[in-house]
């Protein structure tokens, strides 16, 4: 799967931080690759990887650029999810522009 996120040029928020729940040992033995528009992604056992943009993946957590400070205008990112290592999501923080 894929997580896509983008901002416009108006209001900035503190962004978001989302973690996969469960035990980290569930992902250490997982290996998978997936095809994306830019080619193959080698997860090397990780549950997700940033394939474009300024988002950050740190272990089981992914976050918007500059989190917990405000993200900048005109940001975007695409995160590829390792379907064989994915766990239920835990949204720790989500504060973005309201439409």
């Amino acid at each position: 799967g894929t997580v896509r996120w983008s901002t416009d040029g108006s209001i900035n928020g503190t962004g978001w931080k989302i973690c996969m729940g469960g035990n980290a040992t569930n992902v250490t033995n997982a290996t998978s690759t997936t095809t994306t528009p830019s080619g193959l992604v080698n997860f090397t056992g990780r549950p997700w990887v940033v394939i474009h943009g300024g988002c950050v993946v740190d272990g089981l957590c992914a976050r918007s650029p500059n989190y917990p400070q405000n993200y900048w205008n005109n940001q975007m990112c695409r995160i590829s999810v390792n379907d064989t290592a994915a766990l239920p999501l835990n949204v720790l923080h989500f504060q973005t522009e309201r439409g």
Side-chain angles (χ1 to χ4, degrees):
T2 303
V3 175
R4 296 170 194 239
W5 177 76
S6 63
T7 68
D8 60 17
S10 62
I11 299 171
N12 300 0
T14 54
W16 50 269
K17 182 174 182 179
I18 301 172
C19 296
M20 289 192 187
N23 187 336
T25 58
N26 292 342
V27 297
T28 56
N29 296 325
T31 58
S32 178
T33 58
T34 189
T35 303
T36 66
S38 61
L40 291 177
V41 174
N42 186 350
F43 290 97
T44 58
R46 295 172 291 179
W48 40 17
V49 295
V50 177
I51 55 176
H52 187 269
C55 290
V56 175
V57 168
D58 182 15
L60 294 175
C61 296
R63 58 186 166 87
S64 57
N66 209 37
Y67 177 84
Q69 305 302 315
N70 284 2
Y71 53 80
W72 308 286
N73 291 336
N74 304 311
Q75 295 289 296
M76 65 83 53
C77 68
R78 190 169 66 228
I79 300 171
S80 188
V81 178
N82 181 346
D83 294 333
T84 64
L87 299 167
L89 296 180
N90 182 12
V91 179
L92 301 178
H93 182 88
F94 198 92
Q95 196 270 314
T96 61
E97 178 179 352
R98 294 188 324 197

